[in-house]
Structures are given as C-alpha cells and as structure tokens.
Amino acid sequence: MHIGFLNPQGNFDSANSHITKHPDFGGQLVYVKQVAIAIAQMGHKVDIITRQIIDPEWPEFAETFETYPGVDNVRIIRLPAGPKEFLPKELLWPHLVADWIPNILKFYQEEGGLPDAMTAHYADGGLCGVLIQEETGIPFTFTAHSLGAQKIDKLEATPENLTEIDEQFNFRYRILAERLSMNRSAINITSTRQERFEQYSHRVL
C-alpha cells in the first residue's frame, strides 16, 4: 500500500532540525515520523508530503526529496506553496488551495500514480485531505493533534477581543477546516479518551 502523509507545516528533514526552535515544529513532527517509519516497517510505501522552503535561514528544507538514514520505504517530499521563504502556519491557508494541492496532484500524475490513501495532520493537512478526496476520491484519515476550539478557550476569547485574536491565529479557517476534516475523513485518530470524548465534543465543533 502507498500512503501519503499530508503535513504542509512542520518542515521535516532527516536531521530533525529545529524541532524545539519554532512553534510550528515540535511534537507533531516526532509523531508523524514515528508513525511513518512504523508503517513502512510493515512493508508499505510512505511519503511525508510537506512544504518546500527556499530560504537561507532554513537550508534544510530546500531539496525536493529526502530520506531518513537507514529507513526504507519513507520519503520526505517537499512541494511549493506560495512564496519560497518560510511562512508561519497561520499564513499558509490561501497557498494550500492555490498552490500546494495542485502541486501534489501534478507531482503524482507525473510520477505515474496517486497514493492509495492519505493521512492528514493538523487542520491545514486535514483541509488538504478533504480537497484531494473531492478531486480524486482518495480516502484519508485525520489526526488533529490539537483543536482550535480549545485554543480559543485558553486564550479567553470574548466578543470584544475575538476579532484581534482571529487576525493573529486565523481561527475562522482553522475551525472550519477541522469540522470538514472530521466529517469527511474515513477515520478520526485521537491519542486519549479525553481528546476523543471531550475535545471532539466541544460546542464550537
């Protein structure tokens, strides 16, 4: 089986660079890498699809292809989305629809065939899973990692400050993407009962 991991943010590389140096990195990268390797060890072909960055401050993320040393059947594939330089995840939304998804479809068409299934991570990956499924029929699973509704609660949003908070975090895109992903995915993957029964039942969702 050929499985594509949709991770527009996170910027994977073989050396695990910058895992703790930027809020867009961290636990999601570790989780995805470990799951991808475990699936590959079961005999499946795995592509971790992420965003290409051509920026002197982030040289690790420029090449289209990379692999993990000593690991078979796992590729890191970096495809353009918007401007070449690094962008925080909150600014990626329009570039995913306009550039990244078309570049994914074009890449696999030129390679000779799409993956059998996708697994989408975080809200932006989930949105991409929804749109790729709409275009191709390829099923996807969704792992949210964290949900926008809980972050709004932690930020103590009120009617007075919601506009300001949304301008920074783009919750209007994130929560919509999470809803679509949950509803359209073949399986929603959670790590704990609390996440499954409390976070996913939040009134905003």
Side-chain angles (χ1 to χ4, degrees):
M1 191 174 188
H2 184 186
I3 303 170
F5 280 60
L6 295 168
N7 295 84
Q9 58 157 301
N11 310 111
F12 298 80
D13 73 296
S14 61
N16 300 319
S17 304
H18 311 294
I19 277 186
T20 61
K21 295 182 181 178
H22 192 277
D24 288 2
F25 303 169
Q28 182 195 156
L29 276 72
V30 176
Y31 176 93
V32 168
K33 177 184 176 181
Q34 290 177 345
V35 171
I37 291 173
I39 290 174
Q41 289 172 341
M42 297 169 66
H44 302 290
K45 179 181 177 182
V46 177
D47 294 335
I48 298 175
I49 312 163
T50 190
R51 177 174 176 261
Q52 185 180 49
I53 298 170
I54 301 176
D55 185 328
E57 295 188 15
W58 307 88
E60 299 87 351
F61 310 132
E63 296 297 325
T64 302
F65 296 105
E66 193 169 354
T67 59
Y68 292 110
V71 177
D72 295 328
N73 294 331
V74 177
R75 298 186 296 179
I76 300 169
I77 302 173
R78 304 186 184 98
L79 300 173
K84 294 181 178 181
E85 65 269 14
F86 175 81
L87 289 177
K89 62 181 182 294
E90 290 83 8
L91 302 181
L92 289 178
W93 294 103
H95 307 299
L96 301 178
V97 177
D99 296 328
W100 202 59
I101 294 171
N103 285 335
I104 291 172
L105 297 177
K106 180 181 177 183
F107 170 82
Y108 282 113
Q109 287 164 359
E110 292 177 350
E111 198 171 64
L114 289 155
D116 301 299
M118 297 286 190
T119 177
H121 295 262
Y122 199 75
D124 46 14
L127 177 63
C128 296
V130 170
L131 296 176
I132 290 173
Q133 182 192 56
E134 185 73 18
E135 181 73 19
T136 68
I138 295 173
F140 72 98
T141 67
F142 176 56
T143 307
H145 295 279
S146 65
L147 292 170
Q150 277 70 37
K151 187 160 187 175
I152 286 179
D153 288 346
K154 290 179 181 178
L155 293 171
E156 299 182 348
T158 66
E160 291 73 28
N161 65 16
L162 182 59
T163 299
E164 180 181 354
I165 290 173
D166 185 58
E167 287 177 355
Q168 179 178 357
F169 294 105
N170 280 329
F171 285 118
R172 62 191 181 279
Y173 298 130
R174 177 175 176 178
I175 291 177
L176 176 60
E178 289 168 349
R179 283 186 172 186
L180 286 170
S181 303
M182 292 174 194
N183 290 331
R184 294 290 296 273
S185 66
I187 299 172
N188 292 314
I189 298 173
T190 60
S191 300
T192 64
R193 288 180 58 84
Q194 188 275 343
E195 183 181 357
R196 178 182 177 186
F197 293 109
E198 295 182 28
Q199 294 191 41
Y200 274 71
S201 63
H202 193 286
R203 67 186 186 281
V204 174
L205 299 172

